[in-house]
Amino acid sequence: MLLIPCPWCGPRAQIEFTYGGDADVRRPKDAMAATGAAWHDYVYLRDNPRGSHDEIWQHSAGCRRWLRLTRDTLTHAIIDSAPPTKEPPS
Amino acid sequence: MSQPFRIAAGGRIERDRTLSFTFDGRALTGCAGDTLASALLANGVHLVGRSFKYHRPRGIYSAGPEEPNAMVALGPTDTHTPNLRATEIELFDGLQAHSQNRWPSLARDVRAVVDRAAPLVPAGFYYKTFMWPADRWMTYEKHIRHAAGLGLASTGVDAAATYDRRFAHCDVLVVGGGAAGLTAALTAARAGARVIVADERPTWGGSLTAAPTTLDGADSRLWIASTLAELTERDNVTLLPRASVFGRYDQDLYGIAVRRPDGSPNDAAPRETLWLVRTQRAVVAAGAIERPLVFANNDRPGVMLAGAAQAYLNRYAVMPGRRAVIATNNDSAYAAARDLQAAGVDIAAIVDARVEPARITIDGVRHIPGSAVVAARGHSRVTGAAVAHLGSDGKSLDGAVEIIDCDLICASGGWSPTVHLYSHAGGKLRYDSDIAALVPRDELATLSVVGAAAGQFVLDRCFAAGAAAGRQAVAACGYGATVIDVPVCDGQAATPPRPLWHLPLARGHKGKRFVDLQADVTVDDVELAAREGYRSVEHLKRYTTLGMGTDQGKTSNINGLAILAETLNDPIDAVGTTTFRPPYTPVTLGTFAGRETGKHFAPIRRTPLHDRHEQAGAVFAPAGLWLRPHYYPRGGVDVQTASRREATAVRRSVGLVDVSTLGRIDIQGTDAAELLNRLYVNGWSTLAIGRVRYGLMLREDGMVSDDGTTARLAADHYIMTTTTANAGAVMTHIEHYLQLVWPDLDVRVASITDQWAVIAVAGPNSRATLQRVAGDIDFTNESLPFMGLAQGTFAGVPATVFRISFSGELAYEVAVPADYGPAVWDALMAAGESFDITPYGTEALGILRVEKGHFVIGAEADGRATADDLGLGRMQSTKKDFVGRRSLGRPALTAPNRKQLVGLRPVDAAAAIPAGAQIVEKPSLIGPVEMIGHVTSTAFSPEREGFIALAMIANGRARVGDQVFASSPLTDTLVQMTITNHVFIDPNGERLRA
Ligand SMILES: [Zn+2]
């Protein structure tokens, strides 16, 4: 069970959180203008990276805020936890 | 005393507290402080079980959690716990234990014939022999599974056994309460750190208790006692005896199974508690496990690890035999020999594989250097040892074989550090040839390994390393340095061991040489696997089952690896090790379940009206976590009779149903309407204040995900309802979009499901019923039309009334603050008395909605249906974006042959419709048959006086009037059906608007 630092509540056990997927899958700003390929990517395609991965999690049994978690999928190390508005590290 | 192998003095048992127990029904006695194993040995009982594959007689092999053989079922037959290690079970008065894997009895086991047929059953035998023809495997497997195996799961429920779970946090977790562990704990505790110390034994001191040890010139008991006294006194220390630290998990979470001794006076305490401990630093001082010597028939009862024999003597004052041969490749067995001799055991010989002398010498004992025990004699008990001189390569014998009579062979093949938790943490091992063992290779950030677990077998260095690890751990947690005086003790290194992974067979003394006693894997099996190409240790493990028993090969792992390495002519390092994974020792499933069993498996949600339903005699059914009235039997009738009466009451007069379980979300803010526009397929900007609208939500892939009504209470204030099942999911969905996708919207949402009691009143007499309840709400059609709402006082409490209908009848939903629910229910029941107002449950609700042709999420809208499939395509706005809209243009979503919602009626009006049936064109139960659709919901309609169904059928709307077949091969039924419109009553909605 991971120990996830909530940016608002502090470190909490994983059972308080709900996984929300890849943080960098973003809904096209103008969905109706999106190309079929772009929309398909958004709805269906997900990477399965080995190593560092930016994810969104909801502190569902806590403050109910969504957060952006950077996690190593290989070692399960938590690298970073931030509000979702934070831009991905370049 | 009737325990013939109990020594008159010594040990750490309470001699004057005699305990009675039974083993396979035989009445025996032991002492308080015994384990089941030590008590059996005290009675001279060595034969305790039959082996997994060959059904060979097996005895007690070790004195700890590594025990491969002595596994028993504990407790009465129907509620016993199987596969418990006798070496870990603390004896209590009235204990009942049974041996396993034998039939009809332990002494006469008919399946032992497998042992004699063993040349026919080598490794991989089952794979090779029974896999062809492939379709017979299922037949073979049943018999193989019956013949092989260990204990059986009990069939009864042990109602008295409770389990629990708790979370704990600390700065330093110390695993192991021996010399190194207690020193680390004391060092950390004195610095002020929060410390938890766990040890799997009931007593502290670890290996110090297995051998007489001098610390600071005195008996080590004094040091243990004073150290424990200080640790006990400190508020910042938690001592956990009987605590198996079975796993290390992510971010320094440790799982610890803490046992309450059976038969303890505190019977109310949980039998076992799962501690989940999050720590900053861990010090693993878990000791080492002695390994067997792999000679012919090394599994006979009476062959025992030397350290175990020593522990039985020193901890329990039990003599494991009268005349012993000590077989070793290292110094530690000499200490065992010394103690056994002092207790009166006749040491027939010490057979040492090494030529160079050990550091310990024992007077008056025959010493046979450069030699080994190559076979045990005897069947269900050792009667002698075959001894021969080893060639310099260790793989051949020179000279004659000598038979030495004995009833005990104490074997020591060296020691394997207990590195399991280090491995769980991702640590890699290296082979240390000085001690012929696998040891931790690297420093880990938050876990340090000390003492014998790190391959450190010299006592004074264990103390020093414990203190250093304690200091390092507290420094990492921000505590200051502390000083601790470690006791003065033995600091001399042993003579190095001679690696001896298996012994050659001597002519005339053949027999199986077991590498893994529990999984019944022999040297021949490992060599065969290597010859057949299983060169990876992971493949070897799976092919031979080496290390796959419940002991996970604690005593067999390195021998197996080394034999593989020898066979392949590779160094041990090159072969690699299998990865140790949690749990270190088996954990009873009940420990993980904790209190979450039976009705506590999941929380139960009850509506504010639950008591009223109970008083009305409702039969409840779960709906997610909720308990909802399924039907009200009134006079004990069955569900069909009751639900038809209830549905008829709604159609003819008036009924009421508790709909408090529907999800309710309060939505407020200047962008509330815009949020609804984006969530729902239909438009919301035009909804007037005081009006209600039905809404449909999609997933982004275009499929219908939820539906419900949303009411506008004020300009910036809406109340959304969701389905009962999706209340949580829709809330999460909205929060996701609001926080991540549209954070610019000025809206706040809150779940208010629990704050309201909501009662739907439905039927032609519903308005008249409501009008009889005191209040200031005008229920006339003009004032409160269909899809309108009104707020006011109702039955003396503030209420919001929505005129909406699920049944298809004139209907209202009355929402009041939760605590007022029962009073309002009572008022409605009184007001409707002359109409015979009828509470109805979910079964009648289902009938009514099928009659009305309403789809539900999960049945018709099963995640594969679009709005158009459900006949609601035109609801979808073309003027705005909404979740899922972009997907609607995908060709597959507008393909001509999609399944569409229709109704079905049987051609034979009396026929029932099989639930879950597939729709086919032709009356054939024999496949392959093209399936053009499926039945999603069925009901007996009192209104239509026959069965009706909803179905999803390819291109169904264009096929109304066609005849098809509902096919249910499972029930062997085939019913001819007519496709109809999905609305079976009041197609124009006149009743709703009445
Ligand atoms: Zn939080």
Side-chain angles (χ1 to χ4, degrees):
Chain A
M1 180 165 36
L2 299 174
L3 184 68
I4 297 177
C6 172
W8 297 278
C9 308
R12 298 298 173 97
Q14 183 187 341
I15 48 172
E16 295 184 14
F17 294 82
T18 307
Y19 179 63
D22 189 328
D24 292 322
V25 171
R26 301 256 171 86
R27 192 174 199 271
K29 265 219 149 29
D30 183 353
M32 293 315 293
T35 64
W39 186 255
H40 180 262
D41 277 7
Y42 161 64
V43 176
Y44 295 106
L45 291 190
R46 298 294 180 269
D47 290 335
N48 185 17
R50 177 183 184 273
S52 181
H53 188 223
D54 290 332
E55 303 168 339
I56 51 162
W57 289 72
Q58 187 187 26
H59 193 188
S60 42
C63 64
R64 299 213 45 102
R65 304 276 287 264
W66 287 89
L67 55 115
R68 184 188 182 94
L69 194 74
T70 308
R71 192 177 67 89
D72 190 310
T73 59
L74 190 66
T75 65
H76 297 183
I78 306 280
I79 298 156
D80 189 36
S81 170
T85 48
K86 186 184 156 181
E87 287 306 308
S90 50
Chain B
M1 199 187 290
S2 61
Q3 299 159 25
F5 289 84
R6 186 79 71 185
I7 300 159
R12 298 177 185 221
I13 48 163
E14 297 175 52
R15 271 165 202 284
D16 12 345
R17 273 182 61 210
T18 301
L19 305 176
S20 301
F21 70 102
T22 63
F23 180 67
D24 281 342
R26 181 179 161 198
L28 298 165
T29 62
C31 295
D34 262 328
T35 61
L36 175 58
S38 68
L40 287 168
L41 290 173
N43 287 280
V45 177
H46 279 254
L47 173 61
V48 295
R50 289 274 171 175
S51 74
F52 177 71
K53 183 169 156 189
Y54 299 120
H55 290 253
R56 284 167 68 105
R58 288 289 167 81
I60 294 162
Y61 199 77
S62 76
E66 67 270 33
E67 178 61 34
N69 282 344
M71 298 204 300
V72 299
L74 184 67
T77 316
D78 58 333
T79 60
H80 71 237
T81 308
N83 298 336
L84 293 179
R85 291 158 298 283
T87 52
E88 290 190 303
I89 297 168
E90 288 177 66
L91 197 68
F92 59 91
D93 203 45
L95 176 150
Q96 300 175 44
H98 292 269
S99 58
Q100 304 185 148
N101 202 29
R102 79 291 187 272
W103 188 85
S105 73
L106 183 55
R108 246 191 92 254
D109 175 22
V110 296
R111 291 203 189 88
V113 68
V114 178
D115 188 27
R116 266 165 274 148
L120 306 174
V121 197
F125 172 74
Y126 295 114
Y127 294 130
K128 290 170 186 163
T129 311
F130 292 110
M131 293 307 279
W132 294 276
D135 61 344
R136 295 296 303 279
W137 169 246
M138 300 302 280
T139 313
Y140 297 136
E141 193 201 19
K142 191 167 61 187
H143 296 289
I144 292 167
R145 288 212 187 280
H146 189 64
L150 299 166
L152 298 173
S154 60
T155 50
V157 175
D158 188 353
T162 58
Y163 298 88
D164 215 337
R165 173 169 55 217
R166 62 168 294 174
F167 292 83
H169 298 81
C170 63
D171 296 313
V172 183
L173 171 68
V174 179
V175 182
L182 289 178
T183 306
L186 194 60
T187 309
R190 284 188 184 166
R194 292 173 305 160
V195 179
I196 293 176
V197 199
D199 192 285
E200 61 203 356
R201 294 182 191 284
T203 53
W204 299 93
S207 66
L208 295 175
T209 64
T213 312
T214 302
L215 301 177
D216 288 336
D219 190 320
S220 63
R221 290 168 200 236
L222 291 175
W223 180 84
I224 297 169
S226 71
T227 304
L228 273 179
E230 179 174 345
L231 291 173
T232 308
E233 202 170 283
R234 287 185 171 275
D235 292 342
N236 56 333
V237 178
T238 305
L239 289 167
L240 295 179
R242 303 181 175 90
S244 302
V245 184
F246 61 80
R248 186 271 184 196
Y249 302 90
D250 295 321
Q251 279 98 44
D252 302 291
L253 179 74
Y254 288 80
I256 311 180
V258 183
R259 299 184 303 280
R260 164 180 69 84
D262 268 302
S264 98
N266 186 12
D267 277 343
R271 172 178 285 179
E272 202 157 298
T273 302
L274 174 63
W275 282 57
L276 292 169
V277 175
R278 198 72 81 163
T279 188
Q280 296 206 60
R281 287 288 182 280
V283 177
V284 174
I289 293 170
E290 199 167 19
R291 63 178 88 112
L293 284 171
V294 183
F295 51 81
N297 296 326
N298 60 334
D299 64 327
R300 294 300 187 207
V303 179
M304 181 183 284
L305 293 169
Q310 190 185 16
Y312 283 117
L313 194 70
N314 291 315
R315 285 193 186 125
Y316 309 105
V318 167
M319 207 157 39
R322 303 256 185 237
R323 182 175 157 86
V325 167
I326 312 291
T328 188
N329 68 344
N330 69 90
D331 275 12
S332 69
Y334 284 77
R338 176 199 62 205
D339 294 354
L340 289 165
Q341 188 192 37
V345 177
D346 178 14
I347 306 295
I350 297 178
V351 184
D352 193 333
R354 300 169 301 178
V355 179
E356 58 277 22
R359 199 169 61 79
I360 310 176
T361 51
I362 304 169
D363 295 336
V365 169
R366 185 180 167 203
H367 181 245
I368 311 178
S371 300
V373 169
V374 292
R377 314 262 294 168
H379 182 74
S380 50
R381 183 69 198 268
V382 165
T383 59
V387 176
H389 192 265
L390 277 172
S392 58
D393 60 355
K395 291 172 185 160
S396 59
L397 303 174
D398 45 39
V401 174
E402 179 190 353
I403 306 298
I404 302 175
D405 289 344
C406 62
D407 63 355
L408 178 67
I409 297 174
C410 297
S412 179
W415 293 79
S416 300
T418 306
V419 294
H420 298 68
L421 292 169
Y422 168 83
S423 289
H424 297 176
K428 298 284 182 273
L429 304 173
R430 71 177 171 86
Y431 180 69
D432 182 342
S433 55
D434 291 346
I435 56 169
L438 293 166
V439 295
R441 189 187 71 190
D442 309 305
E443 293 278 318
L444 298 184
T446 57
L447 177 152
S448 56
V449 188
V450 294
Q456 182 51 265
F457 297 134
V458 182
L459 188 56
D460 74 338
R461 290 184 215 161
C462 291
F463 281 108
R471 272 194 298 273
Q472 195 186 0
V474 291
C477 302
Y479 294 91
T482 47
V483 184
I484 179 166
D485 294 325
V486 296
V488 176
C489 60
D490 185 0
Q492 269 190 287
T495 306
R498 176 179 182 180
L500 204 57
W501 309 116
H502 70 96
L503 288 150
L505 287 171
R507 192 175 301 246
H509 298 278
K510 303 271 193 264
K512 289 196 184 67
R513 293 168 294 172
F514 285 94
V515 181
D516 186 328
L517 289 157
Q518 189 175 98
D520 265 358
V521 178
T522 65
V523 174
D524 291 353
D525 292 331
V526 176
E527 290 177 346
L528 175 69
R531 280 203 304 279
E532 295 195 342
Y534 295 90
R535 293 164 163 261
S536 146
V537 62
E538 295 291 347
H539 292 163
L540 170 77
K541 176 177 162 176
R542 281 155 184 82
Y543 191 59
T544 62
T545 72
L546 177 78
M548 305 232 328
T550 64
D551 65 343
Q552 289 194 57
K554 289 186 178 61
T555 54
S556 65
N557 192 277
I558 179 118
N559 284 332
L561 289 181
I563 295 168
L564 179 65
E566 276 178 9
T567 311
L568 300 176
N569 263 323
D570 279 336
I572 289 176
D573 266 337
V575 171
T577 58
T578 61
T579 306
F580 294 112
R581 292 194 177 85
Y584 167 65
T585 45
V587 181
T588 304
L589 287 175
T591 305
F592 291 108
R595 292 185 184 271
E596 288 156 30
T597 61
K599 71 173 182 175
H600 298 299
F601 181 68
I604 296 171
R605 299 180 77 179
R606 294 181 179 84
T607 77
L609 301 166
H610 189 84
D611 289 352
R612 290 298 180 271
H613 305 317
E614 276 195 335
Q615 287 156 15
V619 172
F620 291 91
L625 297 177
W626 291 100
L627 277 184
R628 297 189 72 179
H630 186 204
Y631 61 100
Y632 299 80
R634 263 199 210 170
V637 299
D638 63 11
V639 58
Q640 282 84 9
T641 312
S643 59
R644 287 171 200 174
R645 168 177 50 69
E646 292 166 16
T648 303
V650 173
R651 296 270 178 246
R652 304 281 156 77
S653 181
V654 61
L656 77 177
V657 61
D658 182 357
V659 291
S660 308
T661 59
L662 292 179
R664 275 159 216 281
I665 298 170
D666 194 279
I667 301 174
Q668 298 190 43
T670 53
D671 290 324
E674 177 58 22
L675 173 68
L676 296 171
N677 271 331
R678 297 183 189 187
L679 291 171
Y680 281 126
V681 302
N682 45 334
W684 293 83
S685 309
T686 57
L687 182 68
I689 294 170
R691 298 290 296 173
V692 185
R693 183 168 287 174
Y694 173 76
L696 195 64
M697 285 185 200
L698 310 183
R699 302 188 307 231
E700 288 285 29
D701 67 358
M703 301 301 162
V704 171
S705 64
D706 204 60
D707 68 345
T709 56
T710 292
R712 189 171 192 185
L713 298 182
D716 296 346
H717 188 188
Y718 294 78
I719 304 268
M720 170 188 282
T721 61
T722 73
T723 58
T724 296
N726 280 338
V730 170
M731 186 69 191
T732 297
H733 176 75
I734 296 174
E735 287 168 331
H736 178 274
Y737 279 91
L738 272 182
Q739 293 176 34
L740 301 174
V741 186
W742 311 312
D744 49 318
L745 290 187
D746 172 31
V747 193
R748 291 292 180 272
V749 292
S751 168
I752 53 166
T753 308
D754 289 333
Q755 278 66 42
W756 294 88
V758 188
I759 303 163
V761 185
N765 287 323
S766 58
R767 180 182 293 133
T769 302
L770 293 166
Q771 283 170 335
R772 290 181 186 182
V773 176
D776 57 10
I777 297 173
D778 182 355
F779 290 101
T780 60
N781 210 16
E782 296 68 38
S783 182
L784 181 51
F786 181 57
M787 298 307 259
L789 73 84
Q791 290 182 298
T793 302
F794 183 78
V797 308
T800 306
V801 178
F802 307 88
R803 184 161 165 203
I804 53 180
S805 175
F806 191 54
S807 58
E809 298 300 324
L810 169 68
Y812 302 82
E813 281 186 17
V814 180
V816 298
D819 289 351
Y820 294 135
V824 172
W825 179 273
D826 292 345
L828 285 164
M829 288 298 288
E833 198 175 356
S834 64
F835 299 124
D836 193 18
I837 189 168
T838 302
Y840 61 102
T842 51
E843 188 69 20
L845 198 67
I847 294 172
L848 295 166
R849 73 97 187 164
V850 174
E851 284 181 336
K852 183 62 184 170
H854 285 310
F855 70 87
V856 293
I857 304 296
E860 290 75 27
D862 62 355
R864 298 176 294 178
T866 64
D868 186 66
D869 297 341
L870 299 167
L872 297 176
R874 274 174 299 176
M875 252 182 88
Q876 297 173 129
S877 168
T878 53
K879 299 192 186 108
K880 56 160 188 158
D881 181 25
F882 53 84
V883 174
R885 183 180 170 199
R886 178 66 184 81
S887 289
L888 300 178
R890 293 181 57 220
L893 269 62
T894 51
N897 227 26
R898 290 190 64 83
K899 290 181 182 176
Q900 295 170 333
L901 176 64
V902 291
L904 289 175
R905 296 219 62 188
V907 171
D908 169 5
I913 304 170
Q918 292 291 323
I919 304 299
V920 298
E921 300 275 13
K922 295 192 173 61
S924 170
L925 278 170
I926 300 161
V929 177
E930 192 194 357
M931 294 175 288
I932 58 168
H934 58 280
V935 172
T936 52
S937 306
T938 62
F940 179 87
S941 167
E943 192 81 352
R944 302 291 295 263
E945 295 179 329
F947 281 93
I948 57 173
L950 297 179
M952 299 296 289
I953 295 181
N955 199 26
R957 286 199 289 269
R959 301 199 53 186
V960 169
D962 287 3
Q963 295 198 337
V964 291
F965 292 87
S967 166
S968 173
L970 283 177
T971 55
D972 202 25
T973 50
L974 192 66
V975 183
Q976 192 171 21
M977 313 289 292
T978 305
I979 299 177
T980 69
N981 185 280
H982 62 284
V983 181
F984 293 93
I985 59 137
D986 189 25
N988 298 322
E990 285 151 11
R991 299 187 196 179
L992 301 170
R993 295 179 175 80

